[in-house]
Amino acid sequence: MSGQFVAEASCFATPSIRSDNNPGRIVTEPGRSYDLLGRNAVPGSHYLIQVPGADPERRWVPYGCGRVNDGTSSAGLVKPSAKGQEERDAYVLAASWHPAFCETRPRRADCRSGGEAAHGFSLHGLWPQPRGREYCGVPAAIRAADEAGRWRELPPVEISETTRKALARVMPGTVSQLDRHEYWTHGTCFSGDADAYFVQSIRLIDELNASPIRALFEGSVGRELSASDIRAAFDAAFGKGAGSRVLLDCESDGAGRRLAGELRISLRGVLGDGASLGSLILAGDPLQPGCRAGRVDAPGFG
C-alpha cells in the first residue's frame, strides 16, 4: 500500500503487532498524516506507517486509530473537552476481554491458562485524559525502565492488602507487573494516591461487570459482535448516548480472525465522589466506534 494515514486518535505505534514493546513510547498525533507503507492482511487489523524520528521508523497501528486517504473509517475522540471542564476529570476506562488478549500472547504469565474470563472484563487501566498525559513527576530512571518493558524493575505500588487482593481479582496482569506499569504511567497523573487510584479503577470495572454488557459478551462467545450492537447495549444499560462514548478495539489472531479485544470507555467526573459508572459515561467525550466487529474469543488457544 501507499498513500497517507491520517491519525484521529492517540495510539501506541509499535514495531510488531504481536508485542506491546514500544521503543521511545511512540504515540500517533491526532490530525497528523503519516506515510502509509502497508497493512498486515486483507481485511487485516493494522496499518504499517512511517514515523519520522522513531527508532525504528516503521510502526504498526490498529485500523481504529485513523483513516487512509480512501476514506476508511476511523476511531478516536471526535470533539475536544467542553469549555470549562478540567482535564484531570476526564478518563478512559480500558476493559479487556482477556481471552482475546491472550490469544496473541500465550507466553505471558497471566495467559498460560488460556486467558480465563471468570470475572468478566479484566482491568487494563484507567487513563487520565487527554492522551499523552502520563508519567507525572516520575523519575527518569523509572520511566526508562517502563518504556523498555522492564516492569519487574519498577518500584512496587504502595496499596493496602485489601486493595491488592481486589486488584488481583480484576487485573490478571498483576502477575506480569501490569499494575506497576499502569500506576507509574497513568496513576501518577491521578488526583489521589496509588490506593485511591486502584480503588476507583476496581469499582468501575466491577460496575461494568455487574451490567448487562458482561452478559452480552458472555452470550456472544464464539461469534462476532459488532460495535453497533455493543453501543446499543450501552445505551440500554446506562442511558441514551452512553454507546457513543465506547470504542471497540480489535486484535488479529494471526489466523485471519479479528477478535474483540478491549472496550475503551470515555468518562468524565470526579471519581472520589462515588459517581456511578453510568453518569460518568454519559458525561464523557464521544468516541468513534473503532473496529466494526470482532469475534468474542473463548479461553484457550486456537
Side-chain angles (χ1 to χ4, degrees):
M1 296 181 69
S2 62
Q4 294 291 303
F5 171 84
V6 181
E8 294 189 345
S10 299
C11 303
F12 289 118
T14 58
S16 171
I17 295 173
R18 292 183 173 273
S19 173
D20 294 327
N21 188 34
N22 185 3
R25 202 167 184 82
I26 302 301
V27 178
T28 56
E29 300 175 22
R32 180 177 174 180
S33 295
Y34 300 85
D35 288 338
L36 180 65
L37 305 178
R39 60 184 176 188
N40 63 320
V42 178
S45 60
H46 288 68
Y47 291 120
L48 180 63
I49 63 173
Q50 184 167 358
V51 182
D55 183 17
E57 291 190 342
R58 293 163 63 92
R59 299 291 180 119
W60 292 98
V61 294
Y63 280 1
C65 186
R67 58 183 170 81
V68 296
N69 55 11
D70 62 1
T72 301
S73 62
S74 59
L77 289 172
V78 297
K79 70 174 186 179
S81 301
K83 184 177 180 180
Q85 292 179 317
E86 298 181 23
E87 291 178 351
R88 65 184 176 86
D89 288 338
Y91 307 89
V92 164
L93 175 66
S96 293
W97 189 249
H98 206 53
F101 173 83
C102 289
E103 191 68 48
T104 58
R105 301 167 181 86
R107 295 184 180 180
R108 278 185 55 124
D110 50 313
C111 291
R112 289 170 187 165
S113 65
E116 185 180 7
H119 299 291
F121 290 100
S122 300
L123 175 65
H124 178 174
L126 180 65
W127 304 335
Q129 296 297 295
R131 192 67 180 269
R133 189 165 173 261
E134 301 170 340
Y135 298 112
C136 295
V138 175
I142 294 177
R143 177 168 181 165
D146 182 73
E147 290 180 336
R150 302 194 308 271
W151 296 352
R152 292 185 182 278
E153 298 177 19
L154 299 176
V157 181
E158 296 183 3
I159 56 178
S160 71
E161 187 60 27
T162 298
T163 302
R164 192 173 303 282
K165 289 180 180 178
L167 187 60
R169 171 176 57 82
V170 300
M171 181 184 273
T174 54
V175 299
S176 301
Q177 288 71 51
L178 176 62
D179 54 328
R180 300 185 188 187
H181 164 69
E182 289 297 317
Y183 174 70
W184 290 107
T185 307
H186 303 288
T188 51
C189 298
F190 179 77
S191 55
D193 62 15
D195 201 78
Y197 171 70
F198 282 117
V199 164
Q200 293 300 326
S201 301
I202 294 163
R203 175 177 74 86
L204 293 171
I205 201 73
D206 278 343
E207 285 193 43
L208 178 65
N209 279 320
S211 78
I213 308 303
R214 172 180 176 176
L216 172 66
F217 268 68
E218 290 178 338
S220 302
V221 169
R223 60 184 179 85
E224 192 172 79
L225 190 59
S226 71
S228 60
D229 286 341
I230 294 169
R231 290 185 147 207
F234 268 83
D235 282 345
F238 299 109
K240 186 176 180 180
S244 65
R245 274 77 179 170
V246 180
L247 180 153
L248 173 63
D249 187 41
C250 295
E251 300 205 30
S252 173
D253 68 351
R257 297 180 302 177
R258 184 180 298 182
L259 306 179
E262 182 168 281
L263 298 180
R264 295 182 184 170
I265 307 165
S266 177
L267 310 175
R268 185 174 287 279
V270 181
L271 303 186
D273 288 348
S276 69
L277 176 62
S279 64
L280 293 167
I281 294 173
L282 291 172
D285 295 319
L287 302 172
Q288 291 284 357
C291 67
R292 286 172 293 182
R295 180 179 181 271
V296 182
D297 200 33
F301 304 113

